[in-house]
């Protein structure tokens, strides 16, 4: 996915990856809190996630002003994320579209369990994954529905194999 979106000029930023990196930083005051949320499949408080995203975006654009298109993976994940984004980014960023990878729950779990054989991630286990699906249904799906009403959702059938999945044309 990383290479594909780069072709369109997007920098791929993963909210989860930024949080995992922050958790590893021994100087971070949020490390323990982030670990607890991730293991429980819960959404980390928005102030932390937004500050990491903004820091990364500012750094990339500071180095090259033309690198101003971002694909933010795993965000916004709930109403709190959405409000935090709107508050912090109002007038600074446009959301052109939301890419929704539509996939059956059990296929997602099987893929993550397979990934768990080598990922070392504390949430690649059935218990955390089932909690994550509950979090998705309760908190993330309503945000996707909101973007759907605005006509901003591009849906991808992600249950197929890597070779069969087709990505819509992007702006
Ligand atoms: P991911 O890397 O997208 O699979 O996310 C792994 C975990 O990181 C999630 O289950 C959450 O605990 C946390 N996380 C990822 N994205 C966010 C976000 N936007 N807001 C808060 N927590 C997040």
């Amino acid at each position: 996915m990383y290479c594909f979106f780069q072709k369109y000029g997007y920098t791929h930023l993963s909210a989860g990856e930024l949080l995992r990196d922050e958790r590893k930083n021994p100087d971070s005051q949020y490390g323990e809190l982030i670990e607890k949320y991730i293991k429980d499949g819960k959404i980390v408080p928005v102030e932390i996630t937004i500050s990491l995203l903004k820091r990364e975006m500012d750094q990339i654009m500071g180095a090259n002003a033309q690198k101003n298109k971002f694909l933010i993976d795993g965000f916004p994940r709930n109403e709190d994320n959405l409000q935090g984004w709107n508050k912090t980014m109002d007038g600074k960023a446009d959301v052109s579209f939301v890419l929704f990878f539509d996939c059956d729950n059990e296929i997602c779990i099987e893929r993550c369990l397979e990934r768990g054989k080598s990922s070392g991630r504390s949430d690649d286990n059935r218990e955390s994954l089932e909690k994550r699906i509950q979090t998705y249904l309760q908190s993330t799906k309503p945000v996707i529905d909101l973007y759907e009403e605005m006509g901003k959702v591009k849906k991808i059938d992600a249950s197929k194999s890597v070779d069969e999945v087709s990505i819509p044309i992007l702006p």
Side-chain angles (χ1 to χ4, degrees):
M1 188 165 81
Y2 180 76
C3 294
F4 178 84
F5 291 109
Q6 250 189 345
K7 259 196 344 202
Y8 285 86
Y10 289 88
T11 301
H12 174 248
L13 292 182
S14 157
E17 218 164 278
L18 291 172
L19 287 164
R20 283 188 290 278
D21 286 348
E22 182 69 13
R23 178 186 57 183
K24 273 191 254 157
N25 176 359
D27 297 329
S28 170
Q29 55 176 312
Y30 301 121
E32 265 181 46
L33 183 146
I34 292 173
E35 171 59 13
K36 187 165 174 13
Y37 272 79
I38 288 185
K39 210 163 171 198
D40 280 347
K42 290 196 191 142
I43 312 283
V44 176
V46 67
E47 295 75 18
I48 301 175
T49 316
I50 280 262
S51 68
L52 298 176
L53 281 170
K54 189 154 185 312
R55 184 174 73 190
E56 201 70 13
M57 291 165 86
D58 286 344
Q59 211 170 5
I60 291 167
M61 289 188 294
N64 180 351
Q66 288 182 334
K67 292 196 89 179
N68 61 358
K69 281 169 66 169
F70 296 91
L71 181 89
I72 305 183
D73 179 347
F75 189 93
R77 270 212 161 66
N78 64 2
E79 178 66 30
D80 193 37
N81 271 191
L82 182 60
Q83 287 190 9
W85 173 268
N86 289 340
K87 198 167 121 198
T88 314
M89 297 299 192
D90 188 32
K92 298 191 184 110
D94 291 324
V95 177
S96 321
F97 60 90
V98 168
L99 270 185
F100 174 43
F101 287 68
D102 191 17
C103 188
D104 177 79
N105 290 347
E106 199 47 42
I107 296 179
C108 290
I109 290 182
E110 288 306 324
R111 286 178 182 171
C112 292
L113 290 177
E114 189 58 35
R115 181 178 66 184
K117 290 179 184 168
S118 58
S119 68
R121 280 179 55 158
S122 58
D123 57 352
D124 277 345
N125 60 77
R126 187 165 279 274
E127 194 188 342
S128 297
L129 291 164
E130 282 175 358
K131 286 182 184 168
R132 291 187 60 180
I133 286 175
Q134 288 314 312
T135 300
Y136 162 74
L137 292 171
Q138 281 162 18
S139 308
T140 311
K141 181 77 175 47
V143 174
I144 297 170
D145 292 344
L146 272 178
Y147 278 109
E148 184 98 58
E149 281 166 28
M150 291 186 254
K152 291 204 167 188
V153 173
K154 293 179 188 285
K155 202 183 216 175
I156 293 167
D157 179 1
S159 57
K160 298 179 186 166
S161 70
V162 174
D163 291 337
E164 287 169 316
V165 170
S166 55
I167 310 274
I169 306 238
L170 302 177

